[in-house]
Amino acid sequence: MILLDGKKVSNEIKDEIAAEVTKMKERGEKVPHLAAVLVGDDGASLTYVGSKVRSCERVGFESTMVRMSNTTSELELLKRIHELNDDDDIDGFIIQLPLPPQINTQKVLMAVHPDKDVDGFHPENFGKMALDMSTFIPATPFGILELLERYDVETKGKHTVVIGRSHIVGRPMSILMGRRGFPGNSTVTLTHSHTKNITQITCQADIIITALGQPNFLKAEMVKDDAVVIDVGITRVPDETRKRGYRITGDVDFENVSKKTSHITPVPGGVGPMTIAMLLKNTLLARERHRMNLK
């Protein structure tokens, strides 16, 4: 069994990006600038945004955190987004989810200019991705592709089963794994909460990508020998034996499933670190595009 070490690979990517930023500085070019908009005081969201800001510092990016209160209106948030769209110093920005209930998430994500949508959530970027055009790929699916590529996991002609159909992970992943090229060229089955006999389907899979958010959903009896398992799930499970009072658990019963797999991602330390690394990569791409457009 080979562990797909997202922490290790993400550090390699960050080092590569940092080297590129050093070259940009030597050429006298502007370095990439990433902004993150955080509405409210959700603890997990604050942790994620803080991690993104620290990652920016590590690779030499400029970063801005835009903090807005939990009572922020949709109109106020949209106004701030338009300001970021018009700010030439900002190359890309993200809206940290989830948003408070008074705000329409889809409306907000639609307001982000596609050229600055480094999360890859805007319909224009999603559509380009579906058509195999150059665009921003959502960071988590992008990270999974990068892991498969760097560990040289064969995907051509393989049966990939995706569990979960979210717009952020499941649906884009199903499109990307079926695209031409590597990683891709696999036959994809997209499963979800209404799928019947899911075990019969997963047992046929060469590659399983699960993004449900249900701890230990994927059991050993649902996986065939030598399958590749990518666990995107991340859930805080109460655990009084831990100092924090909880432990981080994925969708996969790792202890038992890992004994049958050829490759598997751990949780934590698998897909999570890759998501931030690919967000940085998208921001670097945005800066390069903006530089070319100014010529």
Side-chain angles (χ1 to χ4, degrees), residues 169-183:
V169 182
R171 197 165 299 181
M173 208 66 242
S174 68
I175 294 168
L176 292 164
M177 290 301 288
R179 68 179 182 170
R180 292 185 178 90
F182 174 69

Side-chain angles (χ1 to χ4, degrees), residues 151-205:
Y151 278 91
D152 200 26
V153 176
E154 183 60 69
T155 59
K156 183 180 179 181
K158 301 295 183 180
H159 182 197
T160 296
V161 171
V162 179
I163 306 174
R165 53 181 169 181
S166 74
H167 295 167
I168 296 172
V169 182
R171 197 165 299 181
M173 208 66 242
S174 68
I175 294 168
L176 292 164
M177 290 301 288
R179 68 179 182 170
R180 292 185 178 90
F182 174 69
N185 278 323
S186 69
T187 301
V188 182
T189 301
L190 178 62
T191 65
H192 45 77
S193 57
H194 293 281
T195 301
K196 295 179 180 178
N197 304 319
I198 193 167
T199 297
Q200 291 180 10
I201 298 170
T202 56
C203 279
Q204 299 170 22

Side-chain angles (χ1 to χ4, degrees), residues 37 45 66 68 70 110 119 126 148-149 178 184 189 191 205 246 278:
V37 180
S45 292
V66 179
M68 303 184 78
N70 204 51
M110 285 279 287
D119 258 336
F126 197 98
L148 293 171
E149 183 174 347
T189 301
T191 65
Y246 65 86
M278 304 321 284

Side-chain angles (χ1 to χ4, degrees), residues 3 27 120 160 179 207 248:
L3 199 67
R27 295 193 296 262
T160 296
R179 68 179 182 170
I207 301 168
I248 300 295

